[in-house]
Amino acid sequence: MIGIINPFRANVCKLRKLLAIRLNARKSIVVADEFLPWLGLSFSSLQSILRRKGVNAIPLSSIRLSSPSGSIDLHTHEFCRNIAEYPALVELEDCSPDISQEYNELLDKWTKHLSNLVSNITSFFKEVDLCGVVIVHGFEPTNAALRASAILSSVPCLAIENTSRPDRVIWDNIASYACVDNLSRNYYFRYKNLVSSSTVLNYRDMFTSEFIRNKSEEHRSCRYNDCQSNELNQKNYVLFLGQVYTDAATINCLNDWSSPLELLEYVVDWCIARGVELVVKLHPKELCGRDTITDKNYDKLTCRKIADNPRLATKLDKCAYIDSENSLDTVSLIKSSAFVVTLTSQAGIEAAILGKAVVIGGRSTYSGLGFTYDAPSPWLLDAQLSQAWSNKNLDLSFEASRYAYIYFEIYCINKSEECLADLCVSSFLK
């Protein structure tokens, strides 16, 4: 009899454990809800989907962040001072620290603000059993504070951000700086030998034939015309693709360059010395976009920086056409160029897929993978520009297409609340 009862009791215990798991309280995560619209996503939709998956999504906006902060230790203060550099520089309209009273005052202001946020968020974390947080961007102050609080509290953190594909979202759950320090390189090395040549070739054909449809709307100029196209097609020019001067990928990925304008001036000098035409395509977002810190219009920030540098402005007048009004289509400019230079722009991947040599100055997610010419320091640039010019007919589009396939089709997720919810579950509920 005892031999029959013991197995029965064991089965009852197993059943109770299963029921306990099923009836367990929902796992909770904090989501930077007010920033999801930046990506075209809805928090309410995400919250509903997560609820069905057994996850309670707490909106960050519901947490009281304006109350007086408690004491903060020296390590946390230093942490906050480091992440305060980004908002201080954006407000200063610069991309590298300058030892000045104005910069130091802004750094102190943002350090105090971030310390207050981190203190309050961390206090909230102590009251709730969390399995993760979801942030957007990673450098914006509120998201940066949420990220810092998660790291200091040993709570898993997932960062998401837009890509150059309007239907894809990039993510990272290690560094939690999705826009600059993400897992794309790891995914590339993981899958590069598992993707067939036919898949890569088919993807390259699809990318080049449907590129304009997939490209973000802001990069497709409606003012581009055939006259401009014919005029540029007659010139064997170098194309410089600019970025927003105070973008996170600019500020945090300069390598040894002091600014994008230092890189541009070196390119100008190289073009003047060789009698080569230069076309400078400035980022369309600087026309009507607003920064993420002060909500101030960029108001042609790079153009204003060029105007404040008479030496560079004079050089540009000698050899360059500057498209600061988004009057020329980026794709058409790439196709007509000899080769492309950029700091870290994702348009560099697109140029490489279109068969162009691409020179990268900054720390990019796709540099150093065999299909770019990398110049992380000024002293390396001349040789890399000359090599790109000599190899302008060398087609490296296969490797660039393989990277793009892994990046967009395997690593990135579709931009939808359902896919983001699935990513949250796989990241936090292990």
Side-chain angles (χ1 to χ4, degrees):
M1 189 61 135
I2 293 176
I4 296 174
I5 292 174
N6 285 340
F8 177 77
R9 286 177 176 171
N11 288 333
V12 169
C13 289
K14 287 181 181 179
L15 182 59
R16 284 176 175 170
K17 287 180 181 179
L18 288 172
L19 287 172
I21 292 172
R22 300 284 287 183
L23 297 174
N24 225 359
R26 292 178 182 273
K27 297 287 186 178
S28 294
I29 65 174
V30 172
V31 180
D33 55 308
E34 294 181 321
F35 299 90
L36 288 182
W38 285 7
L39 311 183
L41 296 171
S42 163
F43 172 74
S44 59
S45 297
L46 176 65
Q47 188 179 43
S48 298
I49 295 168
L50 284 171
R51 189 179 298 118
R52 294 200 304 268
K53 297 177 182 291
V55 180
N56 176 37
I58 302 171
L60 179 63
S61 60
S62 69
I63 302 173
R64 188 179 180 190
L65 301 179
S66 57
S67 59
S69 62
S71 60
I72 189 164
D73 59 50
L74 184 62
H75 174 255
T76 304
H77 177 80
E78 183 180 356
F79 198 116
C80 292
R81 193 166 185 82
N82 288 334
I83 60 178
E85 284 189 1
Y86 174 71
L89 286 170
V90 173
E91 189 170 353
L92 196 61
E93 292 191 327
D94 212 338
C95 60
S96 55
D98 181 21
I99 306 303
S100 65
Q101 182 177 352
E102 185 179 10
Y103 172 71
N104 287 331
E105 288 174 354
L106 287 172
L107 191 62
D108 288 340
K109 180 189 80 170
W110 283 107
T111 300
K112 182 178 180 180
H113 174 70
L114 283 160
S115 297
N116 182 68
L117 288 178
V118 169
S119 177
N120 290 318
I121 295 172
T122 304
S123 296
F124 174 80
F125 281 3
K126 294 177 181 178
E127 301 171 2
V128 183
D129 184 18
L130 292 175
C131 64
V133 303
V134 178
I135 64 173
V136 178
H137 192 281
F139 290 95
E140 185 281 327
T142 304
N143 286 274
L146 182 55
R147 173 187 177 273
S149 300
I151 293 172
L152 292 169
S153 304
S154 298
V155 176
C157 184
L158 171 66
I160 55 175
E161 177 62 297
N162 277 322
T163 71
S164 60
R165 281 272 299 272
D167 59 336
R168 293 288 190 272
V169 174
I170 194 70
W171 60 276
D172 183 89
N173 59 2
I174 304 298
S176 300
Y177 281 138
C179 53
V180 294
D181 293 311
N182 55 57
L183 294 168
S184 59
R185 298 175 75 88
N186 298 63
Y187 266 67
Y188 172 73
F189 289 118
R190 179 178 183 175
Y191 288 102
K192 66 174 293 188
N193 295 323
L194 300 176
V195 179
S196 68
S197 297
S198 60
T199 298
V200 174
L201 292 173
N202 288 337
Y203 184 75
R204 182 177 62 182
D205 291 342
M206 181 279 296
F207 197 94
T208 53
S209 63
E210 301 182 19
F211 179 81
I212 293 177
R213 180 174 63 82
N214 290 332
K215 184 68 177 174
S216 296
E217 195 68 37
E218 67 184 1
H219 291 275
R220 284 181 274 171
S221 174
C222 59
R223 290 170 285 185
Y224 182 77
N225 60 58
D226 290 337
C227 281
Q228 291 168 316
S229 173
N230 292 333
E231 181 182 351
L232 288 171
N233 278 329
Q234 296 172 8
K235 298 179 180 179
N236 203 13
Y237 59 86
V238 173
L239 174 62
F240 185 95
L241 294 174
Q243 293 165 255
V244 175
Y245 197 81
T246 54
D247 187 76
T250 304
I251 290 175
N252 294 284
C253 300
L254 285 168
N255 279 332
D256 291 338
W257 299 98
S258 62
S259 75
L261 292 193
E262 184 185 19
L263 173 62
L264 176 59
E265 185 166 3
Y266 271 74
V267 175
V268 172
D269 288 341
W270 186 91
C271 289
I272 290 175
R274 289 157 182 80
V276 176
E277 294 286 340
L278 174 66
V279 174
V280 180
K281 172 72 174 180
L282 298 183
H283 200 285
K285 195 173 182 179
E286 290 196 338
L287 278 174
C288 53
R290 311 181 77 84
D291 73 60
T292 59
I293 306 303
T294 65
D295 197 35
K296 180 181 177 182
N297 195 299
Y298 287 116
D299 190 26
K300 298 184 178 180
L301 178 54
T302 300
C303 274
R304 289 190 281 117
K305 292 289 184 180
I306 291 173
D308 291 339
N309 187 336
R311 185 185 68 228
L312 175 58
T314 300
K315 291 178 180 179
L316 285 168
D317 284 340
K318 293 181 180 179
C319 73
Y321 171 80
I322 302 178
D323 181 17
S324 60
E325 301 291 336
N326 197 28
S327 59
L328 300 176
D329 180 72
T330 303
V331 179
S332 300
L333 285 174
I334 291 172
K335 288 180 178 179
S336 302
S337 67
F339 67 88
V340 171
V341 184
T342 188
L343 186 71
T344 66
S345 174
Q346 284 195 359
I349 305 173
E350 297 146 7
I353 293 172
L354 291 169
K356 299 299 176 179
V358 179
V359 178
I360 304 294
R363 178 171 57 85
S364 171
T365 58
Y366 61 91
S367 57
L369 297 178
F371 57 88
T372 58
Y373 299 86
D374 306 316
S377 299
W379 64 272
L380 290 169
L381 184 65
D382 187 271
Q384 296 294 68
L385 291 173
S386 297
Q387 190 173 7
W389 180 263
S390 299
N391 295 340
K392 57 181 179 289
N393 295 321
L394 177 63
D395 190 349
L396 299 175
S397 61
F398 180 86
E399 201 58 49
S401 300
R402 175 156 56 180
Y403 172 84
Y405 176 80
I406 294 170
Y407 182 89
F408 288 116
E409 308 302 329
I410 299 179
Y411 176 39
C412 288
I413 63 170
N414 286 326
K415 186 185 288 188
S416 71
E417 291 81 4
E418 186 72 45
C419 289
L420 177 54
D422 288 341
L423 181 61
C424 290
V425 171
S426 64
S427 297
F428 302 139
L429 304 184
K430 296 180 180 178

